[in-house]
Amino acid sequence: AIDSNFEQSREQVGEEDGVAVWGPVEPPEKQGIRGTHVAVDFDICLADGACLEDCPVDVFEWVDTPGHPESERKANPADEDQCIDCMLCVDVCPVDAIDVDPG
Ligand code: SF4
Ligand code: F3S
């Protein structure tokens, strides 16, 4: 499961399209955690897609991660600012790749 303490245990190494990237990142095998309020551990995500289907405000969008051992695409929390803290995504992800931190 994603480390809900990632903001302490990891370093932010960059930002992609306004979404924070928390290391370590060594593409293609290591993609790190994306997002802060809504965080997805790309190294755990296996592209199940339930989060994209169920999020009522469409926070997530697919990004391609060719060559990653778990899956070739990931759920990027591109619109995390829209999150209404319903926690559905956290509940439906089969591998607990998502952490939402209700402010
Ligand atoms: Fe979407 Fe709810 Fe998850 Fe926020 S907590 S990203 S609103 S499913
Ligand atoms: Fe990935 Fe879990 Fe969504 S596996 S696509 S974060 S439901």
Side-chain angles (χ1 to χ4, degrees), residues 19-42:
V19 178
V21 179
W22 303 84
V25 174
E26 290 163 35
E29 293 89 1
K30 273 199 183 153
Q31 296 281 343
I33 288 176
R34 308 302 173 102
T36 304
H37 178 76
V38 180
V40 179
D41 191 327
F42 272 21

Side-chain angles (χ1 to χ4, degrees), residues 12 27 30 38 46 57 61-62 66 73 79-80 82 88 97 101:
Q12 186 178 342
K30 273 199 183 153
V38 180
L46 39 66
V57 291
E61 61 182 40
W62 290 120
R73 60 181 186 168
D79 288 318
E80 63 180 335
Q82 300 300 310
L88 254 180
D101 188 12

Side-chain angles (χ1 to χ4, degrees), residues 37-38 50-51 54-60 77 79-80 82-90 92 98 100:
H37 178 76
V38 180
C51 57
D54 290 358
C55 177
V57 291
D58 295 331
V59 161
F60 304 96
D79 288 318
E80 63 180 335
Q82 300 300 310
C83 176
I84 56 170
D85 298 334
C86 72
M87 305 310 265
L88 254 180
C89 58
V90 172
V92 295
I98 308 174
V100 175

